[in-house]
Amino acid sequence: MENVRTFLHFGVLLSSLLFTIGAADEDYFPKAMDVQWVSNNFKTILTWGPEPTNYTYTVEFYSVGKDRHRNPHCIRSSGTECDLTNELRNLQETYSADVLSEPLPGITSDLVEFPYTRAKRFSPYKDTQIGGPTFKIVQSEDKTKMILHIQDPLTPLYKDDQLLTIRDVFKNDLKYRVVYNKAGSTGKKEKMSDLRNVELTNLDKGQSYCFMVAAYIPSRPAQKRLGDWSKPQCSPRERKTIFEEFSFGVITAAIGIMLAIFIILIILTVVCCKRCCCKKTKTVDKENLHLSSV
């Protein structure tokens, strides 16, 4: 009888333990992993993983020391990214964000605080990556200098119903770094400019030059000052006349060689013609001699 009671107590304890574990499993939501800011030209998206199965994610963001906010599109969502471009309005503020793991919509939980993963601090002004700009090459009339007309990259930010460029944001803090070299040469030169129209002088007349441009923000931390490089562009090589391409001595020598070859060809042609005529004359004389004897 005592053994039966012990067995019953053990069964009750085991059932209770299994029920507790099952209840705990219902309120278990895996934390988000690899939470990162991805920002280019002030287009800012928070990303993470993995994709949820029986739970959702909610994003809370805030300026350091200030109230928390939520993007309506990133509450109990099954997605793994949240576009916060329009929420981070003060570009020079430092922000942080938490990705919370929560139950599916309509399902309650006894958890007081949901598990979360915190992103690193982020400042749009200091941390957004600046994309490579586009530019046009214009050559001066005397062909001794070139001007690069750089197009300031656009941002997704608006002011007075107009898209802002990175110059509208950085103002005098924006510079452009230009590297260039003669086409086919490995030696590079560099120039820094405060303007978007960069003038390059003391270039070899008629030579083709290749250029690349990147935005440069000197107020940023050293590793984030330089933006992405543009695609390389080369100026067209000037087509020179034969008199510009070669010296007078080279041209004279070439003409002399061509005349010599022409004279030799004439002499060879005359000699060949004479030989042919001689052979024909001998053949005719032999035929006439043969006919006379007959």
Side-chain angles (χ1 to χ4, degrees):
M1 189 69 178
E2 189 67 29
N3 290 335
V4 173
R5 287 181 179 177
T6 303
F7 180 76
L8 289 174
H9 279 297
F10 178 75
V12 170
L13 288 173
L14 182 60
S15 298
S16 215
L17 179 63
L18 290 173
F19 178 80
T20 302
I21 293 173
D25 283 343
E26 289 178 0
D27 284 339
Y28 173 73
F29 308 109
K31 286 186 177 182
M33 300 173 63
D34 195 26
V35 180
Q36 295 183 17
W37 297 98
V38 179
S39 183
N40 188 277
N41 292 345
F42 298 100
K43 174 76 172 177
T44 302
I45 297 174
L46 190 70
T47 67
W48 63 88
E51 292 186 3
T53 51
N54 59 345
Y55 62 100
T56 60
Y57 292 115
T58 294
V59 173
E60 292 184 347
F61 62 94
Y62 51 94
S63 298
V64 176
K66 296 184 180 179
D67 293 338
R68 292 171 174 263
H69 302 277
R70 291 184 173 187
N71 182 322
H73 301 290
C74 306
I75 298 175
R76 293 205 175 185
S77 167
S78 59
T80 56
E81 64 177 39
C82 182
D83 189 341
L84 295 174
T85 301
N86 294 324
E87 276 70 26
L88 310 185
R89 298 182 184 278
N90 192 336
L91 301 178
Q92 300 207 32
E93 283 274 7
T94 299
Y95 296 90
S96 190
D98 295 339
V99 180
L100 289 73
S101 299
E102 297 185 325
L104 294 168
I107 298 178
T108 60
S109 172
D110 293 333
L111 288 178
V112 177
E113 183 177 322
F114 293 105
Y116 66 90
T117 303
R118 180 161 296 169
K120 291 182 179 180
R121 292 186 175 185
F122 172 80
S123 170
Y125 192 91
K126 295 179 180 178
D127 296 324
T128 193
Q129 182 66 19
I130 305 301
T134 58
F135 62 94
K136 293 181 179 180
I137 304 171
V138 178
Q139 194 173 45
S140 63
E141 292 184 3
D142 61 3
K143 301 177 182 178
T144 59
K145 65 180 179 182
M146 296 184 190
I147 300 175
L148 305 186
H149 295 282
I150 303 170
Q151 185 69 42
D152 296 325
L154 288 171
T155 75
L157 309 175
Y158 279 89
K159 184 177 181 180
D160 299 329
D161 296 328
Q162 288 189 341
L163 277 175
L164 300 180
T165 68
I166 62 169
R167 185 170 296 278
D168 296 324
V169 176
F170 290 114
K171 297 182 171 57
N172 294 333
D173 202 14
L174 171 64
K175 302 181 186 297
Y176 283 110
R177 176 177 286 180
V178 179
V179 294
Y180 61 100
N181 60 280
K182 286 184 184 180
S185 172
T186 56
K188 292 184 181 295
K189 294 183 179 180
E190 183 177 309
K191 182 169 182 176
M192 193 77 73
S193 175
D194 296 326
L195 307 175
R196 66 186 188 94
N197 294 328
V198 185
E199 186 177 286
L200 302 164
T201 58
N202 298 324
L203 303 179
D204 291 341
K205 188 175 181 179
Q207 289 291 327
S208 173
Y209 283 84
C210 298
F211 305 89
M212 288 199 307
V213 180
Y216 185 81
I217 317 297
S219 66
R220 284 181 160 197
Q223 69 274 18
K224 295 183 178 180
R225 290 175 185 169
L226 190 66
D228 295 332
W229 287 103
S230 67
K231 293 181 179 180
Q233 287 191 55
C234 299
S235 62
R237 185 180 178 87
E238 182 184 353
R239 293 183 178 180
K240 296 182 179 181
T241 65
I242 190 172
F243 298 101
E244 293 176 325
E245 191 74 27
F246 300 101
S247 65
F248 179 76
V250 172
I251 295 174
T252 303
I255 293 173
I257 293 171
M258 291 174 66
L259 284 173
I261 293 172
F262 182 70
I263 292 170
I264 291 171
L265 289 174
I266 292 175
I267 294 172
L268 290 174
T269 304
V270 171
V271 170
C272 290
C273 288
K274 284 184 176 182
R275 287 184 178 179
C276 290
C277 289
C278 288
K279 285 182 179 180
K280 287 182 180 180
T281 302
K282 289 180 180 181
T283 303
V284 172
D285 289 342
K286 286 182 179 179
E287 288 178 354
N288 291 334
L289 181 61
H290 180 70
L291 291 171
S292 300
S293 60
V294 172

